[in-house]
Amino acid sequence: MLKLLDGPQTMGRGPAFWGAAGLVLLAALAYPLFADPYDVGNFGYFFVWIFMALGLCLMWGLCGMLSFGQTFFFGLAGYGYGVIAIDLGNGPLGTMAGLAAGLVLAAAAAAVLGYFMIYGRINGVFFGIVTLSVTLALAYFLGQTAGPEWAIGKARLNGFNGMQGMDPLTFPGPDGGIVLEETLFYYVLILGLVMVYLLLRMLANSRFGNVLVAIREDAERAELLGYDVRRYQLAVFVLGSTLAGLSGVLYTSWGQFITPSSIGLPAASMPIIWVAFSGRTDLTATLVGTFLLLLGFQSLTIYSQETALVLMGALLMATVLFVPRGFVLGIGDLLARLTMRRRREPRPAAAAEV
């Protein structure tokens, strides 16, 4: 199984890559030792969104299914978490049930929507149009739920103001449970991100991942070779959408609120930009590039959110026009070529002894 970590479908292999990855992980683990717990919790915000980006990389980069629906599943899971957590009284029972309910809701919605699209032979640009349509429909619906009649049990949807009042994720434990906040939330995110990345990396290099790449390159040929293309597409759509739902639950837990603006058109376009800029065909590039873009976007948003959105759009255009494979993936390929060139260069012969 461990051999799948260094397979051909992922960038970065060998001791040098894993050594550098280990150093980065150690630096991330050491960060809370030198920072304020409040800042550590806020820094964890950047990790929340990477699960969604990895899911889109799996769907779009490996299988060729461009989906604008990541924030649709993000919103379903986030609101699902909030409703269950509030109605069950928060605490370990409510939040753990909310986590499970949010993920199940995202997976079930993806299975139903994906079934009708994929088995209905909706593909290419129309796949993106349908997923964008359901995303905008959900954002519009949630935006007009401001009245007191829009409630599920004790949970008010609150329209554009968003749902609030849910507790952070809480593990069962003494004294009311272990609340995932600040530094503890940060470490749980790091652990979850490492586990998801490694599992997806093994999946990408497995037989399943190879079939996904074959479907991306030529779905008709893969079908003629005997593979049930639609079954693979549905499986990867559900998996990628569930990861978006995980981001939704974590975001709602982190901020203890969720609003329709986190689902609408500007938000729906962000995962596309992250993955395209990073390099949609590689999980490592997506992880690194998404984190860098989120860090830069958040820094710009402090001064002007409109400017940040315009720059993101310009960055997407530059990626499509000049670096279609992605900036981060391009840099990784360049470094790999330079390393291979140095290895192949003949070493100078030793001077003859006198």
Side-chain angles (χ1 to χ4, degrees):
M1 291 293 291
L2 293 179
K3 293 181 179 179
L4 295 177
L5 291 173
D6 281 339
Q9 306 299 350
T10 48
M11 177 182 67
R13 291 179 287 275
F17 170 78
W18 291 111
L23 291 176
V24 172
L25 179 59
L26 287 176
L29 293 174
Y31 170 70
L33 302 177
F34 307 97
D36 182 78
Y38 178 79
D39 294 332
V40 172
N42 286 337
F43 197 79
Y45 166 85
F46 302 120
F47 299 140
V48 164
W49 302 91
I50 297 178
F51 297 98
M52 179 193 295
L54 290 174
L56 182 59
C57 174
L58 193 67
M59 287 189 289
W60 184 24
L62 267 71
C63 198
M65 302 165 63
L66 175 57
S67 172
F68 276 88
Q70 290 298 82
T71 54
F72 173 78
F73 303 105
F74 174 97
L76 280 179
Y79 273 89
Y81 169 80
V83 168
I84 298 299
I86 293 172
D87 283 343
L88 293 184
N90 289 307
L93 174 61
T95 58
M96 289 294 102
L99 170 63
L103 296 181
V104 170
L105 184 60
V112 174
L113 179 62
Y115 176 82
F116 285 107
M117 288 194 301
I118 293 168
Y119 282 85
R121 299 290 186 179
I122 296 176
N123 49 41
V125 65
F126 298 103
F127 193 92
I129 291 173
V130 173
T131 52
L132 178 61
S133 298
V134 296
T135 300
L136 297 181
L138 178 63
Y140 176 78
F141 168 75
L142 292 172
Q144 54 84 46
T145 57
E149 69 275 13
W150 293 102
I152 303 175
K154 296 181 290 184
R156 289 273 303 270
L157 299 183
N158 287 330
F160 280 107
N161 293 322
M163 179 187 292
Q164 53 188 339
M166 66 289 291
D167 276 359
L169 282 168
T170 307
F171 287 156
D175 300 326
I178 304 171
V179 182
L180 300 188
E181 288 184 305
E182 298 178 342
T183 301
L184 183 57
F185 182 66
Y186 174 90
Y187 279 128
V188 169
L189 282 176
I190 291 287
L191 176 62
L193 195 56
V194 170
M195 292 177 59
V196 168
Y197 168 73
L198 294 178
L199 289 173
L200 290 182
R201 191 176 171 103
M202 288 190 289
L203 180 68
N205 291 311
S206 67
R207 179 180 178 275
F208 183 87
N210 291 331
V211 175
L212 295 184
V213 174
I215 294 172
R216 180 193 70 195
E217 296 301 321
D218 194 328
E220 185 176 355
R221 179 179 295 178
E223 193 166 16
L224 291 173
L225 290 173
Y227 295 106
D228 190 342
V229 168
R230 288 173 290 182
R231 186 178 65 180
Y232 280 92
Q233 289 176 326
L234 181 59
V236 77
F237 184 69
V238 171
L239 178 56
S241 301
T242 304
L243 287 173
L246 178 59
S247 284
V249 170
L250 293 173
Y251 172 81
T252 308
S253 170
W254 169 81
Q256 298 174 53
F257 72 94
I258 185 170
T259 65
S261 62
S262 62
I263 303 171
L265 182 58
S269 64
M270 287 295 119
I272 306 294
I273 297 174
W274 303 336
V275 176
F277 167 83
S278 305
R280 64 180 183 272
T281 59
D282 187 78
L283 294 165
T284 306
T286 296
L287 189 152
V288 174
T290 299
F291 173 77
L292 294 176
L293 277 186
L294 284 166
L295 190 61
F297 181 79
Q298 189 66 18
S299 301
L300 290 173
T301 303
I302 295 174
Y303 303 100
S304 173
Q305 184 175 5
E306 291 76 12
T307 301
L309 289 173
V310 169
L311 289 177
M312 281 290 182
L315 187 59
L316 177 61
M317 292 182 61
T319 302
V320 172
L321 292 174
F322 303 111
V323 194
R325 295 194 65 221
F327 281 94
V328 177
L329 184 57
I331 294 173
D333 289 342
L334 177 61
L335 293 175
R337 286 196 297 269
L338 291 176
T339 303
M340 291 299 296
R341 185 179 301 174
R342 289 179 180 177
R343 290 178 180 176
R344 292 174 181 174
E345 288 179 354
R347 296 182 180 180
E353 295 183 0
V354 179

